[in-house]
């Protein structure tokens, strides 16, 4: 058994594609047909005769936005880690995405810090620039074409139990707003995955039935996204800069923009995003959007020069949040949760879809380990906690430092030292390629953040910064 979190994380990251698997269930049910739910369904399709995905939205249409995923219109960066794991579950996805017009762009040369291009960023890595609706539809097409996988249009409203195990999912057919048959029904199941996203009702259902509600941890940080699509007249191969990410350190934001991104996506379009913290809500109209982009590196103004497609879509999020399933004492058996239902982060770190893909790997590892299915899925929750902790360390760690600096909070010495070390490493990534690589591997969820706590790495960073001073 692998015990250390970094070793467990590395094992999940390096896991081989699934091979032959023993059937464990007659019917498994996934509640929610977003990316986390679809990937869980993919894993379960190796283990169940029938996998039913319950989802209120109509998923039969083309790759368009849908009400159940309001964030779907915002820019979605797929980190290299997530791309690698999506390929594990949906082989050939990247190629298919490119055939549909998505772009595989080199990461290097695309990052700006306070307006200055970063020479050593993302060397060797590529990022898939694709709209979230198209990405989800490509995954969905492949998952629902697997034997036994079906989508049931409905809204889950609770669970049914047999002793201390879940044995049914209560649902109403069709979505809440629809006319017609909305009577409650029950789907008999052998195993359930909650993939209802950030506003999952699972905790309340558990509490109502006398089980523990997993502790909800929140880190309040107010973020305001604005995303818009613009016509692109230049083919990917002819673009001087195939996308950009502009980051601004506190006190250096431009037009209220703390982070901005542009990516050349399918349909010969640019997708452009501006993000502000707190009261900053940059780019709420097309005119404001273009004005803010004019103050950013030139690629931004170029990207938003074409005709706008639709309008500006805004999104507000108040916190990072996670639910501590691993700490809950009394939970029913035959139940797990994945994706945003477990942890949802500040989206500027781009971890959500990659985390969902790793949660699928946690599920595969759990089911492959001959678990006692009539006991609580503790082994799953413990493995998943390692993945959530790793992502949380990066996003909530970064946000916590920003908030403390902003509020002048007196933080414990240990935290102060860790942050100072991280600042040294981040600064040294500008001048030391090896450090940049290590830092990117963690940001891209390819390595566990513990690798950056190596004293030798810190010494190297301090020396590099002194040389550069
Ligand atoms: C503004 C913003 C930007 C983001 N940018 C990025 C990014 O750049 N990179 C990245 O990796 N991630 C990003 N994310 C996060 C990403 O969207 C999610 O982490 C990821 O898609 C996984 O989501 P999910 O499948 O867990 O949940 P969701 O995508 O929210 O899906 C939940 C599904 O459950 C369904 N559902 C809800 N209730 C019920 C019910 N009662 N019964 C049945 N079904 C139900 C919903 O209809 C929906 O289909 C961003 C998020 C936001 C908010």
């Amino acid at each position: 058994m692998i015990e250390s979190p970094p070793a467990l994380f590395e094992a999940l990251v390096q896991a081989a594609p699934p091979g032959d698997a023993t059937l464990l269930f007659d019917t498994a049910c996934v509640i929610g047909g977003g990316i986390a739910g679809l990937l869980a369904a993919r894993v379960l399709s190796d283990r169940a005769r029938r996998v039913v995905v319950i989802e209120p939205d109509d998923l039969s249409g083309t790759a368009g936005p849908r009400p159940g995923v309001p964030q779907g219109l915002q820019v979605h960066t797929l980190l290299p880690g997530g791309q690698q794991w999506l390929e594990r579950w949906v082989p050939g996805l990247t190629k298919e995405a490119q055939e549909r017009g998505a772009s595989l762009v080199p990461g290097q040369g695309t990052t700006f810090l306070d307006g200055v291009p970063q020479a050593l960023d993302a060397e060797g890595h590529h990022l898939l620039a694709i709209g979230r609706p198209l990405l989800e539809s490509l995954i969905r097409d492949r998952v629902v074409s697997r034997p036994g996988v079906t989508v049931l249009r409905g809204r889950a409203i609770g669970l049914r139990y047999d002793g201390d195990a879940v044995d049914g999912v209560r649902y109403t057919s069709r979505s809440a707003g629809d006319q017609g048959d909305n009577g409650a029904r029950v789907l008999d199941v052998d195993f359930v995955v909650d993939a209802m996203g950030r506003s999952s009702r699972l905790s309340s259902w558990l509490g109502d039935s006398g089980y523990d509600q997993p502790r909800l941890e929140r880190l309040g940080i107010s973020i305001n996204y604005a995303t818009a699509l613009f016509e692109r007249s230049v083919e990917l191969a002819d673009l001087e800069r195939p996308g950009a990410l502009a980051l601004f350190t506190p006190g250096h934001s431009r037009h209220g923009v703390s982070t901005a991104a542009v990516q050349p996506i399918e349909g010969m379009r640019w997708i452009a995003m501006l993000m502000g913290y707190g009261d900053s809500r940059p780019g709420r109209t097309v005119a404001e959007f273009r004005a803010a982009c004019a103050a950013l590196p030139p690629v931004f103004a170029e990207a938003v020069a074409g005709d706008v497609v639709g309008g500006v879509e805004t999104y507000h999020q108040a916190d990072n949040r996670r639910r501590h399933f691993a700490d809950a004492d009394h939970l029913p058996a035959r139940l797990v949760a994945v994706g945003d239902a477990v942890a949802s982060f500040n989206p500027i770190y781009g971890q959500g879809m990659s985390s969902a893909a790793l949660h699928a790997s946690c599920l595969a590892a759990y089911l492959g380990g001959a678990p006692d299915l009539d006991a609580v899925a503790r082994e799953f929750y413990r493995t998943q906690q390692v993945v959530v902790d790793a992502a949380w360390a990066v996003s909530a760690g970064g946000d916590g430092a920003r908030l403390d600096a902003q509020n002048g909070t007196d933080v414990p010495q240990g935290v102060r030292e860790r942050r100072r070390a991280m600042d040294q490493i981040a600064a040294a990534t500008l001048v030391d390629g090896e450090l940049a690589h290590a830092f990117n591997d963690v940001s891209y969820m390819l390595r566990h953040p513990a690798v950056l706590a190596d004293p030798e790495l810190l010494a190297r960073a301090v020396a590099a910064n002194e040389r550069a001073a």
Side-chain angles (χ1 to χ4, degrees), residues 261-293:
V262 282
Q263 297 175 356
I265 63 164
E266 68 275 7
M268 284 297 287
R269 285 167 184 173
W270 285 105
I271 190 166
M273 177 278 283
L274 304 175
M275 192 281 284
Y277 284 106
D279 295 333
S280 297
R281 294 172 181 270
R284 278 180 297 177
T285 65
V286 176
E288 279 176 23
F289 206 100
R290 288 200 167 113
C293 286

Side-chain angles (χ1 to χ4, degrees), residues 78-328:
L78 181 59
L79 300 179
Q83 192 198 334
Q84 179 182 311
W85 309 319
L86 277 178
E87 280 292 332
R88 176 178 185 222
W89 295 115
V90 190
L93 182 82
T94 309
K95 189 164 172 287
E96 204 180 335
Q98 287 176 276
E99 286 163 4
R100 296 282 296 272
S103 312
L104 194 61
V105 299
Q108 189 161 31
T110 54
T111 309
F112 296 80
L113 186 65
D114 294 336
V116 180
Q118 304 301 290
L120 298 174
D121 62 326
E123 202 177 353
H125 290 299
H126 282 72
L127 296 145
L128 185 64
I130 183 169
R132 148 94 199 221
L134 176 58
L135 179 62
E136 185 183 292
S137 80
L138 292 176
I139 297 171
R140 183 168 64 237
D141 289 350
R142 298 283 287 278
V143 171
V144 299
S145 69
R146 289 183 65 81
V149 180
T150 54
V151 177
L152 191 163
R153 189 151 179 225
R155 179 174 295 277
I157 53 170
L159 302 174
R160 190 187 65 192
Y161 306 91
D162 176 19
D164 256 347
V166 176
D167 82 336
V169 176
R170 296 194 296 117
Y171 69 97
T172 56
S173 55
R174 301 191 174 276
S175 58
D178 282 351
Q179 302 295 315
D181 181 8
N182 269 339
R185 297 164 188 213
V186 179
L187 177 73
D188 295 332
V189 297
D190 304 304
F191 192 79
V192 175
V193 177
D194 167 23
M196 284 181 277
R198 188 174 161 83
S199 49
S200 164
R201 306 281 306 145
L202 177 62
S203 281
S204 333
W205 297 349
L206 290 172
D208 292 348
S209 301
Y211 291 101
D212 284 354
Q213 295 191 314
R215 178 170 62 86
L216 176 64
E217 181 179 357
R218 284 183 152 140
L219 178 69
I221 186 152
S222 170
I223 57 134
N224 304 301
Y225 257 60
T227 292
L229 297 171
F230 297 88
E231 299 285 3
R232 170 163 60 91
S233 55
V234 182
E235 293 285 348
L236 176 68
D238 300 324
L239 287 172
E240 199 180 318
R241 216 181 265 279
L245 173 68
L247 305 166
F248 295 93
T249 49
H252 292 84
S253 66
R254 303 240 178 109
H255 273 253
V257 175
S258 284
T259 301
V262 282
Q263 297 175 356
I265 63 164
E266 68 275 7
M268 284 297 287
R269 285 167 184 173
W270 285 105
I271 190 166
M273 177 278 283
L274 304 175
M275 192 281 284
Y277 284 106
D279 295 333
S280 297
R281 294 172 181 270
R284 278 180 297 177
T285 65
V286 176
E288 279 176 23
F289 206 100
R290 288 200 167 113
C293 286
L296 301 175
V299 57
F300 283 87
E302 287 155 26
V304 302
D307 288 344
V308 68
V309 182
V312 176
E313 298 289 340
T314 58
Y315 189 96
H316 172 74
Q317 186 171 297
D319 55 21
N320 295 284
R321 60 173 74 164
R322 64 183 291 190
R323 295 183 171 95
H324 288 267
F325 283 86
D327 297 351

